[in-house]
Amino acid sequence: MAHKRDAKDVADDEPYLQIGEVAERTGVTQRTLRFYEEKGLLKPPTRMEGGFRLYSEADIRRLERIRHLQQLLGFPLAQIKEMVEADEVKMQLRAEYRPEAEASEKKAQILKAIEVTERQLELIGEKATAIVDMQAKLEERLSTFHGWLTDLEASSKSTAKAKV
Amino acid sequence: MAHKRDAKDVADDEPYLQIGEVAERTGVTQRTLRFYEEKGLLKPPTRMEGGFRLYSEADIRRLERIRHLQQLLGFPLAQIKEMVEADEVKMQLRAEYRPEAEASEKKAQILKAIEVTERQLELIGEKATAIVDMQAKLEERLSTFHGWLTDLEASSKSTAKAKV
DNA sequence: CCTAACCTTGACGTTGAGGTAATATTGGCG
DNA sequence: CGCCAATATTACCTCAACGTCAAGGTTAGG
């Protein structure tokens, strides 16, 4: 078996993962991880001296977010990127938010957050409504069919009676 | 290929369109039309003796359905195909449905329709719920931000007063 | 220091969904 | 009939999103 690494010379407290472990844990291939990095979807992770990538939990959360969005929305990676970046901006604001900051600064941050969130809503909005009412239509048809079915059973029963 | 059935002895009361007209009317390129045909998303349309394709209104509706689904769901064409085929089955049933048919036959048809519709729901179901609650979450965050903003304005007003 | 297992970059291959170009027919009009 | 725009078929090109392979560097246990 593989030797288990002692791969941390960064911060000993945080659990850093090498690319292979991330791949295994998330079901994403190593190639895809490098590819996402290349495309700017994942920020370049920290490395050990040898150059091996070391992913943080935050990196992994981001990765999972990407995959989720990709599955969910079927958008091209460029748009997925926009989405995750927007998330990141909001996280950032949240982290930097100090109640004792200047009001004008806080206001600016909140405005930014609002802008970003609105953009996200814009990206998914149309899709959401369309998919929902497609679903509604299907469900309606389904219950129509069930209705027909029960009608049918009822009438077959009555004809049976009529025959006797 | 053998000549399965005659192409253009269909009455010309129905408006048939050539590929170029379809392309123009729908915004889909000719290439894409042929491609979809190749992939089985569109059934081979009727042809004139020379071999030119002649599309019916039904063909066009199907095409538009395909494009809609593609936009909407972001599924691969293979799945889109499943979807439209399911639609087609239902149309078919609807067309063949005669109230004077045998009950057992009608029942079978309805059961088929139900099965197919359930499959369609299955295909979009998960996606629909996921996207909806993503949207909900975003909207919630948005209103939270707006809340913060009004809080902020309120407190700035009060400090202004306090200063004076 | 050696070696197995892991990782690196680089380059080329593949698949899905078409675009583009070349060549050959066809359809309709004067 | 002759001409030319529209169409058919075939074949290669592209772009995204990875897969795969090669050649070599890195890490840690023995």
Side-chain angles (χ1 to χ4, degrees):
Chain A
M1 300 285 161
H3 69 158
K4 284 306 176 181
R5 62 73 264 307
D6 186 25
K8 46 223 159 144
D9 86 309
V10 195
D12 254 338
D13 49 341
E14 254 203 86
Y16 275 77
L17 300 182
Q18 288 186 216
I19 196 168
E21 302 173 295
V22 174
E24 193 169 340
R25 257 192 46 181
T26 63
V28 169
T29 68
Q30 304 188 12
R31 176 62 169 91
T32 298
L33 286 165
R34 300 197 187 98
F35 179 72
Y36 285 175
E37 186 182 333
E38 211 178 291
K39 293 286 165 172
L41 276 127
L42 294 172
K43 334 163 295 203
T46 56
R47 309 250 185 159
M48 3 184 181
E49 299 98 14
F52 288 23
R53 288 172 179 82
L54 289 178
Y55 293 90
S56 70
E57 286 305 316
D59 290 333
I60 290 170
R61 279 194 302 277
R62 178 157 178 163
L63 171 61
E64 272 158 356
R65 180 98 179 115
I66 291 171
R67 301 251 74 182
H68 182 221
L69 288 174
Q70 197 185 1
Q71 294 277 9
L72 186 54
L73 305 178
F75 286 170
L77 288 185
Q79 276 185 39
I80 303 286
K81 186 181 168 193
E82 259 197 84
M83 278 291 223
V84 233
E85 273 167 1
D87 276 8
E88 211 78 353
V89 168
K90 291 194 289 181
M91 306 274 201
Q92 194 63 15
L93 294 183
R94 245 175 94 68
E96 281 170 5
Y97 190 92
R98 296 145 302 154
E100 78 281 11
E102 262 216 55
S104 67
E105 183 187 337
K106 289 201 285 188
K107 184 172 167 185
Q109 291 187 346
I110 296 173
L111 285 174
K112 182 67 180 172
I114 288 175
E115 181 195 322
V116 160
T117 307
E118 270 166 354
R119 172 65 176 146
Q120 289 183 299
L121 279 166
E122 194 184 307
L123 283 174
I124 77 164
E126 190 193 334
K127 204 150 185 164
T129 64
I131 201 174
V132 164
D133 68 58
M134 160 172 292
Q135 197 186 21
K137 248 171 234 160
L138 283 173
E139 252 144 17
E140 183 203 313
R141 304 209 54 34
L142 192 58
S143 78
T144 307
F145 290 146
H146 278 119
W148 291 4
L149 202 59
T150 60
D151 286 2
L152 194 62
E153 316 242 292
S155 77
S156 83
K157 224 179 292 177
S158 72
T159 44
K161 253 196 229 168
K163 260 186 185 169
V164 179
Chain B
M1 289 271 108
H3 121 132
K4 204 167 184 181
R5 86 177 179 168
D6 284 316
K8 175 57 172 118
D9 48 83
V10 199
D12 27 19
D13 53 342
E14 256 205 79
Y16 274 77
L17 300 181
Q18 290 188 218
I19 196 168
E21 303 174 289
V22 174
E24 192 168 340
R25 256 191 47 181
T26 64
V28 170
T29 68
Q30 304 188 12
R31 174 73 229 268
T32 299
L33 285 166
R34 301 198 186 98
F35 180 71
Y36 285 176
E37 185 182 334
E38 212 177 291
K39 292 288 167 172
L41 276 129
L42 294 172
K43 339 163 291 205
T46 56
R47 308 253 186 154
M48 10 187 179
E49 297 90 19
F52 287 23
R53 289 173 178 85
L54 288 177
Y55 294 90
S56 70
E57 286 306 315
D59 290 332
I60 290 171
R61 278 194 301 277
R62 178 157 176 162
L63 171 61
E64 272 159 355
R65 181 98 177 116
I66 291 172
R67 302 250 72 184
H68 182 221
L69 288 175
Q70 196 186 359
Q71 294 277 9
L72 187 54
L73 305 177
F75 285 170
L77 288 184
Q79 276 184 41
I80 303 285
K81 187 182 167 190
E82 258 198 86
M83 277 292 221
V84 249
E85 273 167 2
D87 276 8
E88 210 78 354
V89 168
K90 291 194 288 181
M91 305 276 201
Q92 194 64 15
L93 294 183
R94 243 174 94 69
E96 281 170 6
Y97 191 92
R98 297 146 302 154
E100 78 280 11
E102 259 212 59
S104 68
E105 183 187 336
K106 289 200 287 188
K107 184 172 168 186
Q109 292 187 346
I110 296 173
L111 286 175
K112 182 66 181 171
I114 288 175
E115 181 196 322
V116 160
T117 307
E118 269 167 353
R119 172 65 176 146
Q120 289 183 299
L121 278 166
E122 194 183 306
L123 283 173
I124 77 163
E126 191 192 333
K127 205 151 185 164
T129 63
I131 202 174
V132 165
D133 68 57
M134 162 172 292
Q135 197 186 21
K137 247 171 234 159
L138 283 173
E139 252 144 17
E140 184 203 312
R141 301 205 62 32
L142 192 57
S143 77
T144 307
F145 291 146
H146 278 118
W148 291 5
L149 202 58
T150 59
D151 286 2
L152 194 62
E153 315 243 294
S155 77
S156 83
K157 224 179 289 177
S158 73
T159 43
K161 253 196 229 165
K163 262 186 184 168
V164 179

